[in-house]
Amino acid sequence: AGGAATEAPTASLYRVDPSNHFLTAADTSAPLDSLGDEVRLRIASGRGVGSLNTTFDFASGESGSGVPLLDGYWERLDDASYVVGEGVARLNPRLYLIWKTAGYCTPYHQDVHVPPHFTLYNQTSGASAFHFLPLLLGEYATLVGRRDGPSRLKELLQRLDREGVGEVATLGPKQMLLILPGGAHGVYVPR
């Protein structure tokens, strides 16, 4: 009777501020048993939500993640290595399942938290719009979006577009996108 209480499992969430999609409530969570209800509520309300920290570590040699999509991916690429210049890059054994609902926005960033700094996005359903900018402009765009709001960010992005700075790629189901470490990218899930 004197045992310690165990916490119910939770999912890490990033909830989008409806007035400014560049503002998210980071490091919040929802109990797994009510996650479905929250996602349905967010979809119905048009307020985006996503998880950037759903990870599975295959380095431990365990039997897998229990997610057939990730397990199959890992089985096919486990021993893959890639020659990059004079070095070799291997697949990071930590796989991220990044899911987002319509209306979710990830501000500009670099995927440099785990070397090698190549990120392969595989879209399984819906669509995502990726906007690529030089690193410092991407960081500045995030600052403007968070500090000055959507209208000022729109002005900045329109100016960069007129100047021919940046590129957009839209990813749909069964498409993949390789992100290189040389710049920044923001991701938006359209409604």
Side-chain angles (χ1 to χ4, degrees), residues 28-65:
T28 59
S29 62
L32 283 180
D33 59 3
S34 64
L35 181 59
D37 292 335
E38 170 148 3
V39 170
R40 281 187 286 282
L41 175 68
R42 292 282 173 157
I43 290 171
S45 71
R47 293 171 38 219
V49 65
S51 177
L52 308 177
N53 292 325
T54 303
T55 61
F56 301 93
D57 192 345
F58 287 84
S60 66
E62 300 275 327
S63 61
S65 68

Side-chain angles (χ1 to χ4, degrees), residues 111-152:
D111 292 330
V112 294
H113 48 284
V114 179
H117 306 302
F118 300 97
T119 302
L120 186 60
Y121 281 89
N122 180 4
Q123 187 82 20
T124 58
S125 65
S128 293
F130 290 74
H131 186 222
F132 299 94
L133 288 173
L135 178 59
L136 291 178
L137 286 174
E139 295 295 323
Y140 180 66
T142 293
L143 173 70
V144 169
R146 288 181 173 158
R147 183 189 63 197
D148 302 332
S151 61
R152 177 67 184 100

Side-chain angles (χ1 to χ4, degrees), residues 156-178:
L156 172 65
L157 295 179
Q158 286 175 331
R159 178 177 178 194
L160 292 173
D161 191 48
R162 283 191 307 273
E163 298 290 331
V165 177
E167 292 185 44
V168 175
T170 302
L171 206 56
K174 298 183 181 180
Q175 294 181 321
M176 297 181 91
L177 181 66
L178 176 64

